[in-house]
């Protein structure tokens, strides 16, 4: 914990990795380093979405799911895909609907369920945001040599495969 305390004393930001300390638990340090990188990228994306498009990451995420499903998705499916409560999806959908970016219609086979779709304006807006998002992610990885990116992608792919294999069911 000496390293983590050093960060506090110097006034530096402590990320998830610093919590691991130097106890030699490489697996924990690796996990926390991946989490720290993810958090840093997500924080930058959230900031840029807000500044350039006045939209939140959850709203962008909902629109991304709808872009991949032009026929629309049920509210429950959106909730499961986004891994949030149905109340969260309802609130986000309400906001996007008020802005004319999505429409909510009764499901033809179940009048108790709603289908959400992007409007034409929503598709255009999402495509602009998605192009910027892709550019931002590219910029964040630009300083990492292609060889290192390829190796990181391969190694994380191996980890993902092993985790899927080890998962019950």
């Amino acid at each position: 914990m000496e390293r983590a305390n050093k960060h506090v004393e110097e006034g530096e930001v402590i990320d998830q990795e610093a919590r691991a300390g130097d106890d030699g638990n490489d697996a924990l340090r690796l996990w926390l380093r991946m989490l720290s990188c993810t958090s840093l990228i997500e924080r930058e994306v959230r900031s840029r979405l807000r500044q350039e498009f006045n939209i939140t990451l959850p709203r962008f995420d909902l629109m991304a799911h709808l872009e991949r499903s032009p026929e629309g998705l049920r509210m429950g499916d959106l909730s499961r895909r986004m891994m949030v409560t149905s109340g969260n999806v309802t609130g986000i959908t309400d906001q996007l609907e008020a802005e004319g970016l999505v429409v909510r219609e009764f499901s033809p086979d179940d009048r108790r369920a709603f289908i959400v779709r992007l409007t034409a304006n929503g598709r255009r807006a999402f495509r602009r945001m998605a192009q910027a998002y892709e550019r931002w992610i590219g910029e964040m990885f630009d300083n990492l040599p292609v060889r290192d990116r390829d190796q990181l992608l391969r190694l994380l792919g191996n980890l993902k495969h092993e985790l899927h294999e080890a998962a019950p069911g």
Side-chain angles (χ1 to χ4, degrees):
M1 280 319 248
E2 188 175 310
R3 190 171 93 206
N5 291 337
K6 181 180 174 194
H7 288 287
V8 172
E9 290 169 10
E10 294 172 4
E12 294 179 27
V13 174
I14 295 181
D15 60 17
Q16 290 89 340
E17 185 181 355
R19 296 187 322 223
D22 292 323
D23 65 0
N25 187 338
D26 289 340
L28 179 60
R29 287 183 57 235
L30 177 59
W31 160 240
L32 293 174
R33 181 166 294 175
M34 289 188 313
L35 187 59
S36 293
C37 289
T38 300
S39 296
L40 290 166
I41 292 168
E42 184 178 313
R43 182 173 45 210
E44 183 65 21
V45 167
R46 284 178 186 276
S47 174
R48 290 182 183 197
L49 282 171
R50 173 75 66 200
Q51 288 172 359
E52 294 191 31
F53 298 103
N54 194 30
I55 196 164
T56 64
L57 185 56
R59 291 169 66 191
F60 175 83
D61 191 28
L62 187 142
M63 292 176 76
H65 286 287
L66 294 176
E67 174 68 18
R68 289 188 295 272
S69 300
E71 70 284 357
L73 291 169
R74 289 178 182 233
M75 299 284 280
D77 291 333
L78 278 167
S79 176
R80 279 187 293 284
R81 290 177 186 209
M82 294 177 66
M83 296 184 278
V84 297
T85 67
S86 59
N88 285 347
V89 168
T90 299
I92 295 167
T93 301
D94 288 346
Q95 294 167 0
L96 293 171
E97 190 174 37
E99 294 176 25
L101 300 173
V102 302
V103 292
R104 185 179 355 204
E105 303 163 344
F106 283 109
S107 171
D109 54 327
D110 182 356
R111 300 291 292 165
R112 296 170 295 163
F114 287 103
I115 303 282
V116 182
R117 291 183 183 84
L118 286 173
T119 63
N121 284 342
R123 272 190 299 284
R124 282 190 294 275
F126 178 76
R127 287 182 183 139
R128 282 192 310 275
M129 289 183 275
Q131 287 173 343
Y133 175 88
E134 189 173 324
R135 186 179 68 253
W136 302 334
I137 298 299
E139 290 168 359
M140 286 183 244
F141 283 88
D142 271 350
N143 290 330
L144 192 61
V146 172
R147 183 184 75 250
D148 292 350
R149 281 185 271 170
D150 290 344
Q151 182 178 18
L152 187 56
L153 189 61
R154 183 182 53 76
L155 292 171
L156 289 172
N158 292 346
L159 176 61
K160 181 179 176 181
H161 175 76
E162 291 300 320
L163 294 171
H164 276 296
E165 291 293 314

